[in-house]
């Protein structure tokens, strides 16, 4: 006899304390949850569908396969079609909007994505001139005088540890699984900023050939004092400047700061101001979610369903 299951949660519940490293399991019984760590250490994602039998005695987990394609355009159509034939979910990041129309049969979500970019084809003197004089040029010169050191693809383990600590402490996501980290490194550069031998900041930049580099993750050490906060400010700006010059010199066309929030009332708008202080222009691209699975189409389009599941998990 085939068991009948009811979907009670759509998503991937990941423990933020261990990032799933210790195999934490989430058991849902009606409105209550049993969790090895505190319920607030959960993070909601889009990787698993959790089914529970009508008797509420056992759980069934089905992994959702997902492909992520960055900077998709008309030239990416064959790659997208291939991905749709192999994966349940295809996520297009910073893509051309017309792709949602091209793949309208599979499109379940389209969201605008704003970012600021630097045109690396212009002269270095002009790149320097468009930097904000007070907040950026001053801090870069300060970092040079301090003797800040920059490394590229050297301290990978240290960067991995710092980024995970930063992500978890800011509750941005769970720890990055090491397999995911290794996969990202195949398409990215890792930059580290050190002062007096201590790691203060790390950047991970995705590489799209010579067309673009894109800031994927940026992390800094804990700002436990005003002095450390000032050091971080100088190190971080100096790193971005050195990255800009490096990629310019090897022929990359665009430096992408990885997204901005244009809502001036948002608490994250200070990050936008930081990125804009480098003089880049704002562009609008789109994040597009595709699926060929009929059930997933219904679930992704049901906002009430998703919100109810989030409330069930304590959010």
């Amino acid at each position: 006899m085939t068991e009948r299951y009811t979907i009670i949660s759509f998503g991937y519940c990941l423990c933020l304390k261990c990032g799933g490293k210790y195999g934490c399991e989430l058991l849902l019984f009606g409105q209550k949850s049993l969790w090895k760590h505190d319920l607030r250490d959960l993070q909601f994602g889009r990787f698993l569908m959790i089914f529970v039998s009508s008797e509420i005695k056992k759980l069934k987990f089905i992994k959702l396969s997902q492909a992520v394609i960055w900077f998709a355009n008309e030239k990416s159509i064959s790659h997208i079609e291939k991905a749709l034939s192999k994966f349940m979910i295809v996520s297009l990041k910073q893509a051309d909007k017309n792709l949602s129309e091209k793949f309208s049969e599979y499109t379940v979500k389209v969201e605008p994505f704003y970012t600021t970019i630097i045109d690396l084809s212009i002269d270095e003197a002009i790149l320097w001139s468009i930097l904000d004089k007070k907040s950026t040029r001053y801090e870069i010169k300060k970092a040079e005088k301090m003797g800040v050191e920059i490394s590229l693809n050297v301290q990978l383990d240290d960067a991995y540890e710092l980024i995970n600590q930063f992500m978890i402490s800011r509750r941005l996501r769970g720890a990055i699984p090491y397999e995911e980290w290794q996969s990202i490194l195949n398409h990215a550069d890792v930059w580290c900023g050190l002062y007096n031998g201590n790691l203060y900041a790390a950047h991970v930049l995705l590489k799209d050939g010579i067309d673009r580099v894109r800031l994927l993750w940026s992390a800094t050490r804990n700002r436990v004092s005003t002095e450390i906060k000032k050091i971080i400010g100088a190190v971080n700006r100096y790193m971005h400047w050195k990255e800009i010059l490096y990629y310019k010199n090897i022929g990359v066309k665009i430096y992408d700061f990885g997204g901005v929030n244009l809502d001036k009332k948002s608490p994250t708008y200070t990050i936008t101001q930081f990125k804009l202080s480098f003089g880049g222009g704002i562009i609008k691209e789109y994040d597009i979610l595709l699926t060929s699975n009929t059930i997933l189409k219904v679930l992704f389009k049901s906002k009430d369903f998703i919100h109810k599941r989030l409330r069930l998990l304590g959010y």
Side-chain angles (χ1 to χ4, degrees):
M1 178 178 175
T2 303
E3 285 192 85
R4 297 180 64 84
Y5 287 88
T6 302
I7 302 172
I8 61 169
S9 182
F10 174 57
Y12 177 28
C13 304
L14 181 67
C15 177
L16 292 181
K17 281 190 175 178
C18 72
K21 181 179 178 181
Y22 300 112
C24 290
E25 296 178 352
L26 173 66
L27 303 179
L28 296 171
F29 296 91
Q31 295 293 317
K32 296 181 180 180
S33 301
L34 298 179
W35 187 250
K36 289 183 180 179
H37 292 150
D38 186 85
L39 186 63
R40 286 290 175 180
D41 292 321
L42 297 182
Q43 178 169 321
F44 196 82
R46 289 196 294 264
F47 298 96
L48 296 178
M49 291 178 70
I50 303 174
F51 295 80
V52 64
S53 67
S54 56
E55 294 83 11
I56 316 294
K57 291 181 179 178
K58 63 173 68 175
L59 292 174
K60 182 179 181 181
F61 295 84
I62 298 180
K63 189 171 184 178
L64 301 185
S65 58
Q66 180 178 225
V68 179
I69 301 176
W70 288 89
F71 318 124
N73 52 35
E74 291 292 333
K75 297 179 181 179
S76 311
I77 289 176
S78 62
H79 296 293
I80 297 171
E81 290 173 340
K82 186 176 181 180
L84 281 168
S85 69
K86 291 186 174 182
F87 298 91
M88 295 179 72
I89 300 170
V90 177
S91 180
L92 309 182
K93 297 289 189 180
Q94 293 181 238
D96 288 347
K97 187 179 182 181
N98 60 8
L99 290 175
S100 66
E101 299 172 2
K102 173 69 178 178
F103 293 94
S104 58
E105 179 184 353
Y106 309 102
T107 300
V108 292
K109 191 176 183 181
V110 181
E111 289 185 339
F113 184 91
Y114 296 91
T115 189
T116 178
I117 62 172
I118 303 289
D119 178 1
L120 299 182
S121 68
I122 62 180
D123 292 339
E124 181 178 333
I126 298 177
L127 287 173
W128 179 256
S129 70
I130 63 177
L131 301 176
D132 183 84
K133 183 177 180 179
K134 183 176 181 180
S135 66
T136 307
R137 275 189 266 172
Y138 171 80
E139 293 292 336
I140 291 171
K141 291 178 180 178
K142 175 182 173 182
E144 289 178 334
K145 293 179 180 178
M146 290 166 54
V148 171
E149 298 177 51
I150 307 295
S151 70
L152 172 59
N153 296 327
V154 176
Q155 297 169 289
L156 301 182
D157 289 341
D158 292 337
Y160 175 64
E161 182 178 351
L162 178 65
I163 290 170
N164 271 336
Q165 290 174 352
F166 183 84
M167 296 289 187
I168 294 171
S169 66
R170 299 295 180 93
R171 304 188 72 83
L172 299 175
R173 58 163 287 173
I176 303 165
Y178 195 70
E179 295 76 12
E180 179 184 349
W181 173 256
Q182 289 296 321
S183 177
I184 289 294
L185 293 187
N186 292 328
H187 309 282
D189 283 330
V190 179
W191 294 77
C192 291
L194 301 94
Y195 175 61
N196 284 342
N198 298 311
L199 180 61
Y200 275 78
H203 297 169
V204 176
L205 284 94
L206 283 178
K207 299 180 292 184
D208 184 27
I210 64 168
D211 290 330
R212 183 191 311 211
V213 290
R214 192 261 197 200
L215 183 66
L216 180 63
W217 295 316
S218 176
T220 60
R221 64 180 294 181
N222 290 333
R223 307 184 181 206
V224 295
S225 68
T226 302
E227 183 60 30
I228 289 179
K229 185 176 180 180
K230 289 179 179 179
I231 294 172
I232 289 173
V235 171
N236 222 2
R237 288 172 173 83
Y238 188 55
M239 287 177 68
H240 281 298
W241 176 242
K242 285 296 186 180
E243 291 159 8
I244 287 169
L245 294 184
Y246 172 82
Y247 291 115
K248 171 181 171 56
N249 290 333
I250 64 173
V252 176
K253 299 174 183 177
I254 292 174
Y255 184 96
D256 182 344
F257 274 91
V260 291
N261 185 346
L262 300 182
D263 181 5
K264 294 183 178 180
K265 295 181 180 180
S266 170
T268 64
Y269 188 70
T270 54
I271 299 174
T272 296
Q273 290 176 308
F274 171 85
K275 294 178 178 181
L276 291 177
S277 72
F278 286 83
I282 295 174
I283 63 169
K284 183 180 182 181
E285 295 174 308
Y286 291 87
D287 287 343
I288 303 170
L289 197 65
L290 309 174
T291 181
S292 58
N293 184 284
T294 304
I295 296 176
L296 289 180
K297 287 179 183 178
V298 175
L299 294 180
F300 273 118
K301 291 182 177 181
S302 177
K303 293 183 179 179
D304 288 340
F305 178 87
I306 298 297
H307 291 165
K308 287 178 181 178
R309 301 292 78 75
L310 283 169
R311 285 198 294 272
L312 180 63
L313 293 174
Y315 287 91

